[in-house]
Amino acid sequence: MSRRLLLIALAIAVWAAGLAAIAWAAAAWLGRALSTGEGVLVGVALAVAVFVVVQGRLQRDRRKMQDMRDSALW
């Protein structure tokens, strides 16, 4: 259980660092700090992008497993 909590804490820390890096880069590019709404929008966009990538990888892995099962039957 503690390993799972450690992984969750690590994921939260990586997520926060990623958002901070994006906010810093956007602030440097725009020449001003991001507003709260812009920060939320960036966070949501990042969450959707991560979700799409993870779902794509999971689908690819499921297809690989199905292909291995199918080939094992022949």
Side-chain angles (χ1 to χ4, degrees), residues 46-66:
L46 185 60
V48 168
V50 168
F51 180 77
V52 168
V53 168
V54 168
Q55 288 300 315
R57 288 181 186 241
L58 290 174
Q59 181 66 28
R60 186 187 66 202
D61 291 343
R62 282 192 290 269
R63 285 187 192 135
K64 276 185 182 177
M65 293 296 277
Q66 187 63 38

Side-chain angles (χ1 to χ4, degrees), residues 15-34:
W15 190 265
L19 284 177
I22 290 171
W24 175 77
W29 183 59
L30 294 172
R32 63 176 176 83
L34 294 179

